[in-house]
Amino acid sequence: MVLNIDRRSLVLGGALGLGALILPAGRGLAADLLGATGFTHNVASGEPGPDSMLLWTRYVPAAGDGAQRLEAEVALDPGFTKVVAGGSVRTGAYRDWTAKITVDGLKPGTVYWYRFVAPDGGKSPVGRTKTLPVGDVARFGLGVFSCSNLPQGWFNAYGHAAARQDLDLWLHTGDYIYEYGVASTREADWAEGRKDMLQPTTEILAIADYRLRYASYRADPDLQRLHQMAPMVALWDDHESANDSWEGGAQNHQPDKEGDWNPRRAAAMQVYREWMPVSDEPWKAYPIGTLATLYRTESRLLARTRPADIGAAFKAADPDAALKAFRDGAWRDPSATMMGSSQESWLAHGLKANAGWQLVGMGTILGRTVMPKEAVDWLRPEVTEKKVASYRNDIRAAAQGLPMWMDRWDGYPAARSRLLKSAQAAEADLVMLSGDSHNAWAYALREDGRPAGVEFAGQAVTSNGMEGDMGADPNLVARGFMAANPELKWADTSQRGYMMLDVTPKRVTGEWLFLRTVKARSTALAGSHRMSVERGRRVFTGQG
């Protein structure tokens, strides 16, 4: 059930449980968020190491606006009878009252409980976290999430995952929030009870806007519970700033109307680092004993070059000739990059130096994907002519070997080739973990005709997928995409949820879990699908 409370009061839990801030829907939400005091948004942890952990909370004093000192306590039990570590951290309005502290001196592979204590003695809710293991590891469980558009659905995937006992760490591959305002979502796509929870109601542009948007998302009890139960490794994609963002701009940023891109980009980065349990390091590796290494990457705001513009080719007098010229020219430009040369070099060295599975968290899909020629036949009758024309253009591009997603790795083929060749040169057991598309995909990645690794691409937590356009049976759509794309070995184009990754020395198994609904609050599952890759094979089990 959804808990509602008097808008003039707050529920501040001091023990493990729902705890923290539970706010009602309605016009008063923004006032509640802005006027809340105490520990307003529960706790979170992240940036795990074998002997350290970053802890997060938000504390607003009841009076005054001066800086506040919080004490962090880490214990071996939820009752805090065995406090083993801690520290002090300062916060204030200058960082929206959020607080982060990295605690050292912990033991590997150990469950800890933590909380914050305020100057007046008030205590935060209690969080649970777990350090990374060292040495030989028999199994590691990883939950993978992406694309959680609050107005389009309830965060049931978060609630389902938070109740599990077999996952050690969360990975969020981006689109944790969306920048759009209320007007950008069709009325038919709103989930009941969610519309008034989105604050501010307009598109977010400035620091205050981004802060209020995170505050409204983080008021969700299922998201709070997810953060409260295990550490998270998180990376941003585009909607944490603006749709289809790159170093110098974004599709959803118009300088003539919204001003210079750089202040908006800086605001988005600052607020993300305030509100998320992340360090300020742009990318990072997390060793999971000798079993695996998990990589947090950055492929949006720091070095990504502008995607090549395929649009002009469709308007040319001879579109097919223009598409060929685009394919052989701008699309293959070796200077185009998703990550920048420094990060490319860092990841290549990591793949070579680290043993075990190489788990690379990435905002966007690496697998090659072209639009099937039958796609127009699958569309719903009510799809607009403009949308139909877009599908026809993608089909025309596919005939020239061009992808349907220029904003993803497919749009940067030289950079994609460099990444996969570095994995092959390192003889790495590469497992890509990605999101962004809102649908579920499994790719057997190839480079120069040879296996280079596999990709588990996850479906959205709530964001609508291509099923919004498709009237055909989703199984037919999935088969059509697989037939048109040799790297694609499985797909689901209609359901929401999250992925579970089960990592053992011999095998990585990915499971896509599908929620029965996101339009009402429920953690009931509609089904799941599993695929595995064996050590040294770099293809899915049973496939050559």
Side-chain angles (χ1 to χ4, degrees):
M1 61 181 294
V2 180
L3 301 178
N4 290 320
I5 63 172
D6 188 324
R7 290 191 180 116
R8 293 169 295 177
S9 64
L10 298 171
V11 176
L12 295 175
L16 183 68
L18 186 60
L21 178 63
I22 307 300
L23 291 169
R27 297 178 185 175
L29 179 59
D32 284 328
L33 292 170
L34 294 172
T37 60
F39 290 101
T40 65
H41 285 79
N42 213 308
V43 294
S45 63
E47 301 296 346
D51 60 357
S52 65
M53 188 69 66
L54 184 150
L55 309 177
W56 179 99
T57 194
R58 184 174 186 263
Y59 177 79
V60 182
D65 59 0
Q68 301 289 306
R69 193 182 79 180
L70 306 177
E71 301 296 328
E73 296 179 340
V74 180
L76 290 172
D77 65 304
F80 287 81
T81 62
K82 299 178 181 179
V83 176
V84 296
S88 300
V89 61
R90 189 177 299 179
T91 188
Y94 56 88
R95 57 172 301 110
D96 202 19
W97 303 104
T98 61
K100 295 191 292 188
I101 182 173
T102 297
V103 177
D104 286 309
L106 307 179
K107 294 182 179 180
T110 303
V111 172
Y112 289 97
W113 309 86
Y114 65 96
R115 68 187 178 189
F116 290 84
V117 182
D120 63 2
K123 295 180 176 63
S124 74
V126 175
R128 175 188 179 278
T129 195
K130 187 177 183 180
T131 51
L132 295 179
V134 297
D136 293 336
V137 180
R139 179 197 173 273
F140 193 83
L142 182 66
V144 185
F145 309 91
S146 66
C147 306
S148 43
N149 194 332
L150 184 148
Q152 291 185 358
W154 291 88
F155 293 161
N156 296 332
Y158 294 152
H160 187 277
R164 300 180 70 129
Q165 302 298 314
D166 57 347
L167 295 176
D168 299 290
L169 179 67
W170 315 132
L171 172 66
H172 205 294
T173 63
D175 296 344
Y176 182 97
I177 67 162
Y178 279 68
E179 84 280 17
Y180 299 129
V182 169
S184 296
T185 299
R186 297 184 309 163
E187 194 68 31
D189 290 335
W190 286 88
E192 185 176 358
R194 293 296 260 179
K195 186 172 184 178
D196 292 327
M197 294 183 180
L198 188 70
Q199 296 294 330
T201 58
T202 57
E203 184 178 336
I204 54 177
L205 297 171
I207 285 180
D209 301 333
Y210 282 96
R211 284 173 169 171
L212 184 54
R213 184 61 56 86
Y214 277 94
S216 67
Y217 269 67
R218 292 291 294 273
D220 180 271
D222 291 314
L223 180 51
Q224 287 192 9
R225 182 69 166 169
L226 186 81
H227 279 297
Q228 193 176 6
M229 293 305 296
M232 177 181 286
V233 169
L235 55 104
W236 61 52
D237 192 31
D238 53 342
H239 289 291
E240 286 87 351
S241 53
N243 183 55
D244 288 358
S245 54
W246 56 285
E247 181 183 16
Q251 177 275 332
N252 190 31
H253 184 84
Q254 291 71 47
D256 59 330
K257 297 179 181 179
E258 296 163 334
D260 181 46
W261 165 248
N262 289 314
R264 184 179 187 182
R265 172 175 169 265
M269 292 170 62
Q270 175 181 327
V271 177
Y272 183 87
R273 287 168 172 163
E274 289 173 350
W275 275 86
M276 297 294 289
V278 297
S279 69
D280 290 348
E281 298 161 280
W283 47 81
K284 191 173 181 178
Y286 307 85
I288 306 171
T290 60
L291 177 65
T293 300
L294 174 65
Y295 300 87
R296 168 168 62 82
T297 62
E298 197 290 320
S299 58
R300 273 293 173 190
L301 299 177
L302 300 182
R304 178 198 275 249
T305 53
R306 189 171 191 169
D309 183 11
I310 194 174
F314 298 123
K315 301 174 184 177
D318 186 345
D320 293 330
L323 286 169
K324 289 179 181 178
F326 173 82
R327 178 195 63 197
D328 298 335
W331 182 58
R332 298 183 186 276
D333 187 346
S335 70
T337 178
M338 292 278 279
M339 300 192 300
S341 58
S342 294
Q343 189 179 182
E344 284 187 13
S345 176
W346 165 80
L347 183 56
H349 281 85
L351 296 176
K352 186 175 182 179
N354 296 321
W357 296 99
Q358 307 297 297
L359 312 175
V360 180
M362 188 67 64
T364 55
I365 290 173
L366 200 73
R368 293 191 182 279
T369 319
V370 302
M371 185 67 74
K373 61 182 179 180
E374 306 91 351
V376 171
D377 299 331
W378 303 334
L379 298 177
R380 297 179 188 274
E382 63 269 25
V383 170
T384 65
E385 284 299 320
K386 182 178 180 181
K387 182 63 71 70
V388 172
S390 176
Y391 275 90
R392 292 191 187 281
N393 284 340
D394 286 341
I395 293 168
R396 194 165 200 164
Q400 304 301 330
L402 289 165
M404 54 187 265
W405 293 328
M406 296 304 298
D407 183 59
R408 299 166 195 173
W409 279 90
D410 251 0
Y412 299 75
R416 178 188 188 273
S417 179
R418 291 194 295 268
L419 191 160
L420 293 179
K421 285 181 177 179
S422 68
Q424 290 174 328
E427 298 184 347
D429 283 294
L430 178 68
V431 177
M432 300 296 302
L433 304 173
S434 58
D436 184 67
S437 79
H438 306 176
N439 295 117
W441 318 83
Y443 296 88
L445 304 170
R446 299 182 71 84
E447 179 64 25
D448 289 337
R450 296 183 294 118
V454 300
E455 181 169 31
F456 295 92
Q459 72 275 39
V461 170
T462 62
S463 304
N464 292 338
M466 67 171 59
E467 71 281 353
D469 293 337
M470 300 295 175
D473 182 336
N475 292 319
L476 173 66
V477 175
R479 289 195 299 269
F481 268 95
M482 286 187 282
N485 295 282
E487 286 188 348
L488 183 61
K489 302 305 179 182
W490 173 83
D492 178 277
T493 61
S494 65
Q495 301 183 84
R496 309 282 79 80
Y498 70 103
M499 289 193 300
M500 172 188 167
L501 213 70
D502 192 85
V503 186
T504 67
K506 294 183 178 180
R507 182 179 294 105
V508 172
T509 300
E511 182 178 20
W512 293 262
L513 295 110
F514 303 112
L515 276 299
R516 188 171 297 170
T517 183
V518 297
K519 298 306 181 184
R521 196 168 179 218
S522 168
T523 56
L525 290 179
S528 66
H529 180 80
R530 291 187 179 187
M531 295 185 73
S532 297
V533 56
E534 296 178 356
R535 186 72 179 272
R537 291 290 308 281
R538 303 180 185 98
V539 295
F540 290 111
T541 300
Q543 298 173 347

